[in-house]
Amino acid sequence: MEDQRAACDLTLRLDELAAGLMDPDCDLDDLAGIEEELVAAQRRELIPHVEGHLAAAVEAGNWYARHVLARILAETAGRTSLAALLRAYSRNLGDDQDSLSTTLYVLAQEDPATAREILLPCAVGNDEDLRRSAIWLLGFVPEPSDLNLLAHAAQDSDEGIRSAVVGTLGSHGTEPAAIDLLLNLLDDPSPQVRISALSSLGFLQQPRTLRKIRLLANDDNPRVRAWVAIALGHFSALEPADPATSSVLDQLAADADPYVRDQATEARQHKPLRGTTSGPGEDSGSASP
């Protein structure tokens, strides 16, 4: 009886927290105390209630409520919260979601098989936001069998899905089929997708990709040209005497755009390059140039 009363009291505290998070005039310090109380309790009876409040916060576009309620759900439900957290994460509410993205890939890596059972149907579903997020998270639990799915998604009309594909392909390392798909994405109509592909290919440093990378030195978009220099800079230590690469870097060092010139100069000098990513699997699996 006492245990049941305690669970009921915590449900009321959760309702109080959720209402406060929706009230712009509520004292955040008071809410923080309730949040810590619920996190410490870790009462599994609360899980459906937390999931309901989390879905309502997302529907209302309240990013801070999502942040708080997602933390409580993850601490209470652990990896069984992955599906609900992925749905919440998939909606763009304007915040960076660093903590939630970290929670998601940690949970996925704790139990890759179960995570993939959740992610694969989402990655081929009709909800574009959820599909994009599932493809991103697959980059942290990759399997060679994903390449067919990724090849199909690389043709998607949604630029965000194609960008997510780039990062996840990078998680497949030097698998020839993954490299071929990344090379194809250098022809993507979106400059951002081309930039992401250049970032991944620069990180992977496969000599056979150099020719296609160098071709983008003539791209109409200056940011793409800058990322050609950045990508080639990763190869410079491997092939310092490559005349074709040196010629392209000379061309970019004389570019009309100052950012392009700066990146080409740094690449030629073999300096650490600004703006380079740490590679797939460390930041949402995709480049964010």
Side-chain angles (χ1 to χ4, degrees):
M1 181 68 71
E2 190 67 31
D3 192 58
Q4 193 173 27
R5 185 180 300 112
C8 184
D9 289 344
L10 286 171
T11 301
L12 293 175
R13 292 290 275 169
L14 173 62
D15 292 342
E16 181 184 352
L17 173 65
L21 289 168
M22 295 296 183
D23 181 358
D25 298 322
C26 196
D27 189 322
L28 292 181
D29 289 337
D30 290 343
L31 296 183
I34 302 175
E35 176 186 350
E36 295 306 322
E37 179 184 347
L38 292 168
V39 166
Q42 295 190 343
R43 294 294 294 258
R44 297 191 65 83
E45 304 98 315
L46 291 178
I47 291 173
H49 303 287
V50 181
E51 289 180 342
H53 284 304
L54 177 59
V58 172
E59 184 66 25
N62 188 325
W63 68 265
Y64 184 69
R66 172 174 65 182
H67 166 76
V68 171
L69 293 164
R71 179 187 173 222
I72 295 170
L73 180 59
E75 293 289 344
T76 304
R79 56 178 178 261
T80 63
S81 65
L82 183 65
L85 292 176
L86 183 70
R87 286 193 299 272
Y89 172 85
S90 69
R91 304 301 182 240
N92 181 5
L93 304 184
D95 57 323
D96 59 27
Q97 296 207 79
D98 283 349
S99 61
L100 183 50
S101 62
T102 299
T103 296
L104 280 168
Y105 69 71
V106 168
L107 291 176
Q109 290 175 330
E110 286 180 359
D111 188 352
T114 299
R116 289 177 58 80
E117 289 178 2
I118 294 168
L119 296 175
L120 288 171
C122 296
V124 296
N126 296 322
D127 184 325
E128 287 190 347
D129 291 336
L130 190 57
R131 189 178 179 206
R132 187 183 310 119
S133 297
I135 289 170
W136 161 74
L137 194 51
L138 278 173
F140 295 93
V141 286
E143 292 287 348
S145 57
D146 296 340
L147 290 172
N148 287 336
L149 180 158
L150 295 173
H152 180 72
Q155 305 299 318
D156 197 274
S157 60
D158 183 270
E159 175 185 333
I161 287 176
R162 300 197 307 275
S163 290
V165 166
V166 172
T168 297
L169 284 171
S171 299
H172 289 264
T174 58
E175 171 67 35
I179 298 295
D180 290 342
L181 286 170
L182 286 170
L183 286 171
N184 289 339
L185 285 163
L186 290 180
D187 297 323
D188 194 274
S190 163
Q192 184 56 53
V193 174
R194 298 198 297 277
I195 287 168
S196 296
L198 285 166
S199 177
S200 287
L201 289 169
F203 176 79
L204 294 170
Q205 299 177 353
Q206 292 298 290
R208 73 180 179 95
T209 66
L210 275 168
R211 185 189 67 81
K212 189 73 176 283
I213 291 172
R214 289 191 294 249
L215 289 175
L216 268 69
N218 298 311
D219 196 277
D220 290 338
N221 188 290
R223 290 183 65 242
V224 173
R225 298 197 301 275
W227 274 84
V228 170
I230 292 170
L232 292 177
H234 284 290
F235 288 88
S236 59
L238 301 178
E239 301 191 22
D242 177 18
T245 296
S246 296
S247 176
V248 167
L249 288 174
D250 287 343
Q251 172 189 331
L252 294 172
D255 195 274
D257 187 275
Y259 181 63
V260 177
R261 295 197 301 271
D262 287 348
Q263 296 307 314
T265 299
E266 292 196 27
R268 291 165 72 191
Q269 294 174 352
H270 302 178
K271 291 181 177 178
L273 301 174
R274 292 193 304 270
T276 54
T277 62
S278 55
E282 293 186 30
D283 178 27
S284 70
S286 62
S288 301

